[in-house]
Amino acid sequence: MNELYFMVTITDRNMAKPYLALYAQHGVDVTLRAVGHGTAASETLDAFGLERAEKAVIFSVVTGETWRTVKKALKTQLHIDIPGTGVAFRIPLSSIGGKRPLQYLTERQNFELGEERTLKDTNYELLVVISNQGYSNLVMDAAREAGAGGGTVIHAQGTGAQRAEAFLGVSLVNEKEMVLLVVRSEQKNAVMRAVMDHAGLGTKARSIVFSLPVTGTAGMRLLEEEPEESA
C-alpha cells in the first residue's frame, strides 16, 4: 500500500510560491499555508546583518511515493539542504474521514487505499480538522459533544479549492481554519464522526478531518484521569 503522510514545510515567507509551485509539479495540489516567525536570537541576526523574517508554514497530505520524489526535488531545485533555506518533514496519517476527502487530497498522487495505520501503544491521536474560516466554534462544539477537550485554531490560506467541487460536490473558499485536537485513541472515531456529521461537507463549515498517531505526551493530566464512579 502507498502510505499517507502529513507533510510540513517551513521556509521564509517570500519563498512560499516556489515551494507551492514545486509541489504542484509533483501532484500536490491541495495545501494550507500559515504564517509564523523564526526564533533565532537577535544577536545572531545582528551579527549577520539580517532582519527577523516571517516564515511560511505549508501543510499538505502526500503519499510515500510523492514524498520521495518531492524530497529529491527540494534538494536539487530549491537546495533545501543549504542551512536557512527551509525544512520539510512528514508525519504518518492513521485515517481520513471519508472517501471523497481522501480522493480530493490525493487526486494526482496515485494513492492505493488500504487498511488504517495503527501504531503499538499509541494512546492518543491528533485530529486535524480543516474548515472554512469562521466555523471553528461549530467544529469544537461537535467535538466536545463526543468527549473531546479543548483545541487549537490556526488560520491558513488554502490552495486547490477550485478542484473541490469535482471530488467533494461542494465549492470551498481559500481562507481556512485548522483545528488541532488531541483525543484518546478510543475516542477518535466518535469525535471524527461527530465533526463530519455536524460540521462536515454538508454544512457551511465544509470540514475535512484526519488523524495522526501521537507517540508521547506531557501535560495531558486531565485526559489521563479516569472519571470517578458514582456512589
Side-chain angles (χ1 to χ4, degrees):
M1 184 188 73
N2 198 337
E3 295 178 326
L4 281 181
Y5 298 88
F6 189 49
M7 182 173 69
V8 181
T9 309
I10 304 170
T11 187
D12 284 350
R13 191 175 183 182
N14 59 10
M15 283 293 294
K17 287 185 178 180
Y19 277 83
L20 292 173
L22 183 147
Y23 292 159
Q25 291 174 9
H26 294 278
V28 185
D29 298 310
V30 181
T31 64
L32 290 169
R33 184 172 77 250
V35 176
H37 296 275
T39 58
S42 59
E43 52 269 26
T44 302
L45 296 173
D46 293 341
F48 288 96
L50 301 174
E51 297 180 355
R52 189 176 300 276
E54 287 190 329
K55 300 293 183 180
V57 186
I58 304 170
F59 306 95
S60 49
V61 173
V62 298
T63 65
E65 180 182 352
T66 299
W67 164 255
R68 288 187 288 273
T69 58
V70 162
K71 181 180 177 181
K72 181 177 180 180
L74 287 173
K75 293 179 178 179
T76 58
Q77 297 181 38
L78 296 183
H79 310 292
I80 198 170
D81 284 344
I82 298 176
T85 304
V87 295
F89 56 91
R90 65 178 186 176
I91 307 168
L93 262 70
S94 54
S95 60
I96 290 182
K99 185 176 180 180
R100 287 188 297 163
L102 173 61
Q103 292 174 329
Y104 170 58
L105 293 170
T106 62
E107 177 192 356
R108 294 195 295 127
Q109 297 188 54
N110 300 317
F111 177 70
E112 183 179 338
L113 184 62
E115 295 182 358
E116 287 191 5
R117 182 197 308 250
T118 58
L119 294 181
K120 186 179 179 180
D121 299 327
T122 299
N123 296 321
Y124 297 94
E125 295 264 341
L126 173 65
L127 302 189
V128 180
V129 185
I130 303 170
S131 66
N132 284 343
Q133 190 172 20
Y135 292 94
S136 57
N137 288 337
L138 181 63
V139 171
M140 285 306 309
D141 288 345
R144 288 192 183 102
E145 286 185 9
T152 299
V153 180
I154 299 174
H155 298 280
Q157 187 172 35
T159 64
Q162 67 277 9
R163 299 174 177 271
E165 197 155 3
F167 289 91
L168 306 179
V170 296
S171 59
L172 299 180
V173 297
N174 288 329
E175 299 301 319
K176 298 292 182 185
E177 288 176 338
M178 293 176 59
V179 182
L180 309 180
L181 308 101
V182 177
V183 301
R184 288 178 173 272
S185 296
E186 60 267 25
Q187 291 178 305
K188 179 191 76 171
N189 290 338
V191 176
M192 290 180 70
R193 174 50 59 187
V195 170
M196 291 165 63
D197 288 345
H198 300 290
L201 295 175
T203 71
K204 291 183 179 179
R206 302 282 195 259
S207 298
I208 294 173
V209 57
F210 52 87
S211 65
L212 297 82
V214 174
T215 57
T217 62
M220 304 294 292
R221 181 176 61 84
L222 292 179
L223 282 180
E224 292 168 356
E225 288 179 346
E226 294 293 338
E228 295 183 3
E229 294 184 2
S230 57

